[in-house]
Coordinates of all heavy atoms in Angstrom, one line a residue:
T25 N -44.4 13.2 46.3 CA -45.8 13.2 45.8 C -46.0 11.8 45.1 O -45.1 11.2 44.7 CB -46.1 14.3 44.8 OG1 -45.1 14.2 43.7 CG2 -45.9 15.7 45.5
C26 N -47.3 11.5 45.0 CA -47.6 10.2 44.4 C -47.3 10.3 42.9 O -47.8 11.2 42.2 CB -49.1 9.8 44.6 SG -49.5 9.6 46.3
N27 N -46.5 9.4 42.4 CA -46.1 9.4 40.9 C -47.2 8.7 40.1 O -46.9 7.6 39.5 CB -44.7 8.8 40.8 CG -44.2 9.0 39.4 OD1 -44.7 9.9 38.6 ND2 -43.3 8.1 39.0
I28 N -48.4 9.2 40.1 CA -49.5 8.6 39.4 C -50.1 9.6 38.5 O -50.5 10.7 38.9 CB -50.6 8.1 40.4 CG1 -50.0 7.0 41.3 CG2 -51.7 7.4 39.6 CD1 -50.9 6.5 42.4
H29 N -50.3 9.3 37.2 CA -50.8 10.2 36.3 C -52.3 10.1 36.2 O -52.9 9.0 36.2 CB -50.2 10.0 34.9 CG -48.7 10.2 34.8 ND1 -48.1 11.4 34.8 CD2 -47.7 9.3 34.7 CE1 -46.8 11.3 34.8 NE2 -46.5 10.0 34.7
H30 N -53.0 11.2 36.1 CA -54.5 11.2 35.9 C -54.9 10.4 34.7 O -54.3 10.6 33.6 CB -55.0 12.6 35.9 CG -55.0 13.2 37.2 ND1 -56.0 14.0 37.7 CD2 -54.1 13.2 38.2 CE1 -55.7 14.5 38.9 NE2 -54.5 14.0 39.2
G31 N -55.9 9.6 34.8 CA -56.3 8.8 33.6 C -55.6 7.5 33.5 O -56.0 6.7 32.6
S32 N -54.6 7.2 34.3 CA -53.9 5.9 34.2 C -54.7 4.9 34.9 O -55.7 5.1 35.6 CB -52.5 6.0 34.9 OG -52.7 6.3 36.3
N33 N -54.3 3.6 34.7 CA -55.1 2.5 35.3 C -55.1 2.6 36.8 O -56.1 2.3 37.5 CB -54.5 1.2 34.8 CG -54.7 0.9 33.4 OD1 -55.6 1.5 32.8 ND2 -53.9 0.1 32.7
T34 N -53.9 2.9 37.4 CA -53.8 3.0 38.8 C -54.7 4.2 39.4 O -55.4 4.0 40.4 CB -52.4 3.3 39.3 OG1 -51.5 2.2 38.8 CG2 -52.2 3.3 40.8
A35 N -54.7 5.3 38.7 CA -55.5 6.4 39.1 C -57.0 6.1 39.0 O -57.8 6.4 39.9 CB -55.2 7.6 38.2
N36 N -57.4 5.3 38.0 CA -58.8 4.9 37.9 C -59.2 3.9 39.0 O -60.3 3.9 39.5 CB -59.1 4.4 36.5 CG -59.0 5.4 35.4 OD1 -59.2 6.6 35.6 ND2 -58.6 5.0 34.2
E37 N -58.3 3.0 39.3 CA -58.5 2.1 40.4 C -58.7 2.8 41.7 O -59.7 2.5 42.4 CB -57.3 1.1 40.5 CG -57.4 -0.1 39.6 CD -56.3 -1.1 39.9 OE1 -55.3 -0.7 40.5 OE2 -56.5 -2.2 39.6
L38 N -57.9 3.7 42.0 CA -58.0 4.5 43.3 C -59.3 5.3 43.3 O -59.9 5.5 44.3 CB -56.8 5.4 43.5 CG -55.4 4.7 43.7 CD1 -54.3 5.6 43.6 CD2 -55.4 4.0 45.0
K39 N -59.7 5.8 42.1 CA -60.8 6.7 42.1 C -62.1 5.8 42.2 O -63.1 6.3 42.8 CB -60.9 7.4 40.7 CG -61.9 8.5 40.6 CD -61.8 9.2 39.3 CE -62.8 10.4 39.2 NZ -62.7 11.1 38.0
N40 N -62.1 4.6 41.7 CA -63.3 3.8 41.8 C -63.4 2.9 43.0 O -64.4 2.2 43.2 CB -63.4 2.9 40.5 CG -63.5 3.8 39.3 OD1 -64.1 4.8 39.3 ND2 -62.9 3.3 38.2
A41 N -62.3 2.8 43.8 CA -62.3 1.9 44.9 C -63.3 2.4 46.0 O -63.4 3.6 46.3 CB -60.9 1.8 45.5
K42 N -64.0 1.5 46.6 CA -65.0 1.8 47.6 C -64.3 1.6 49.0 O -64.8 2.0 50.0 CB -66.2 0.9 47.5 CG -67.0 1.1 46.3 CD -67.5 2.6 46.2 CE -68.3 2.8 44.9 NZ -68.7 4.2 44.8
L43 N -63.2 0.8 49.0 CA -62.5 0.6 50.3 C -61.1 0.4 50.0 O -60.7 -0.3 49.1 CB -63.1 -0.7 51.0 CG -62.3 -1.2 52.2 CD1 -62.4 -0.2 53.3 CD2 -62.8 -2.6 52.7
I44 N -60.2 1.1 50.8 CA -58.8 1.0 50.7 C -58.3 0.6 52.0 O -58.6 1.3 53.0 CB -58.1 2.3 50.2 CG1 -58.5 2.6 48.8 CG2 -56.6 2.2 50.3 CD1 -58.0 3.9 48.2
I45 N -57.5 -0.5 52.1 CA -56.9 -1.0 53.3 C -55.4 -0.8 53.3 O -54.8 -1.1 52.3 CB -57.3 -2.5 53.6 CG1 -58.8 -2.7 53.7 CG2 -56.6 -3.0 54.8 CD1 -59.2 -4.1 53.8
W46 N -54.9 -0.1 54.3 CA -53.5 0.1 54.4 C -53.0 -0.4 55.7 O -53.1 0.2 56.8 CB -53.2 1.6 54.3 CG -51.8 2.0 54.1 CD1 -50.7 1.1 54.2 CD2 -51.2 3.3 53.9 NE1 -49.5 1.8 54.0 CE2 -49.8 3.1 53.8 CE3 -51.7 4.6 53.9 CZ2 -49.0 4.2 53.7 CZ3 -50.9 5.6 53.7 CH2 -49.5 5.5 53.6
D47 N -52.4 -1.6 55.7 CA -51.9 -2.2 56.9 C -50.5 -1.8 57.2 O -49.8 -1.4 56.3 CB -52.0 -3.8 56.8 CG -51.8 -4.5 58.1 OD1 -51.9 -3.8 59.2 OD2 -51.5 -5.7 58.1
E48 N -50.0 -1.9 58.4 CA -48.7 -1.5 58.9 C -48.5 0.0 58.6 O -47.3 0.4 58.4 CB -47.6 -2.3 58.2 CG -47.6 -3.8 58.7 CD -46.4 -4.5 58.1 OE1 -45.8 -4.1 57.1 OE2 -46.0 -5.6 58.7

């Protein structure tokens, strides 16, 4: 599972992102 805690900076980034690019 993703080791990201709710309320962390990474979680807020993923929540607010309008576009996510995953190459390869």
Side-chain angles (χ1 to χ4, degrees):
T25 57
C26 298
N27 188 21
I28 302 176
H29 299 286
H30 287 221
S32 63
N33 293 335
T34 303
N36 293 332
E37 277 188 334
L38 293 170
K39 189 174 182 179
N40 298 326
K42 298 300 181 181
L43 172 66
I44 294 180
I45 298 177
W46 190 357
D47 193 18
E48 291 188 339

